[in-house]
Amino acid sequence: MKYLLDTNIFITSENYIPRDIFPSFWAKLADALLDGTAILHQTVFDELNQKKDPLIKWIKGLKMKPMQPDDDTIKQYLEVCGWAQKQPYDKAAIRTFQSNDRADAWICAQGLASGLCVVTYEVPSNSPRVVKIPTVCDALGIDWLNGFDFMRQQHFRF
């Protein structure tokens, strides 16, 4: 199985599994990214880069190419956004979900288009104020895992 990593996998891990304390986690994550088991999507890279996240330097140091959205992903992006617009979400929630500076809708679309398992620390929610990746995945039949289940499946040990 291949895994598509949400932006929050990087940010949350950076905050709670710091590189200076858990270097083995970061080495294992780097190995997964470099061997293609874990995939960095271009929109996740762009989101981290735009926010000038300190972790972007680590990612750039891996010298790997992020996955680009293809025609099928673009088609599925429209499907994902259409689904969200038909749900009882606030307009602000939909705007945020579809925002060009966020990867969420693209991650869902890529998972739908390619059959990749989406990995996120988000949890499903029925709140009309926010569109959560796991909620979209459940509704559209996209496989997803939380970050810790991903680590278990990939045998991360510290």
Side-chain angles (χ1 to χ4, degrees):
M1 179 170 283
K2 293 190 180 220
Y3 303 89
L4 183 61
L5 305 182
D6 180 21
T7 308
N8 74 14
I9 292 300
F10 295 98
I11 294 171
T12 302
S13 296
E14 179 182 30
N15 291 330
Y16 295 101
I17 310 172
R19 287 180 282 158
D20 61 330
I21 298 173
F22 299 99
S24 61
F25 166 83
W26 292 96
K28 185 81 171 166
L29 183 59
D31 289 346
L33 287 163
L34 291 170
D35 74 14
T37 301
I39 296 170
L40 173 71
H41 199 266
Q42 183 67 50
T43 57
V44 170
F45 178 86
D46 292 345
E47 187 173 346
L48 291 166
N49 198 37
Q50 181 180 19
K51 292 179 180 179
K52 304 207 184 318
D53 191 284
L55 194 55
I56 199 69
K57 192 179 225 180
W58 177 82
I59 292 170
K60 287 179 178 179
L62 296 176
K63 298 187 186 327
M64 57 179 211
K65 292 188 180 211
M67 176 181 256
Q68 302 294 319
D70 59 12
D71 290 342
D72 196 30
T73 305
I74 294 167
K75 179 182 170 192
Q76 296 305 328
Y77 175 81
L78 297 173
E79 184 76 23
V80 166
C81 291
W83 174 87
Q85 290 167 0
K86 293 175 188 167
Q87 305 311 305
Y89 291 114
D90 296 344
K91 289 181 182 178
I94 293 171
R95 274 194 309 273
T96 299
F97 179 68
Q98 298 175 174
S99 173
N100 286 336
D101 61 348
R102 294 187 49 125
D104 293 11
W106 286 104
I107 291 296
C108 294
Q110 188 67 62
L112 190 58
S114 62
L116 295 170
C117 181
V118 174
V119 180
T120 184
Y121 284 120
E122 289 184 7
V123 294
S125 173
N126 292 325
S127 171
R129 295 182 180 200
V130 63
V131 181
K132 294 287 192 175
I133 289 172
T135 304
V136 176
C137 289
D138 286 344
L140 298 178
I142 304 164
D143 289 335
W144 72 276
L145 290 173
N146 74 34
F148 293 108
D149 287 336
F150 164 73
M151 288 182 236
R152 285 182 185 103
Q153 285 191 11
Q154 292 304 300
H155 309 289
F156 280 40
R157 299 291 181 264
F158 314 119

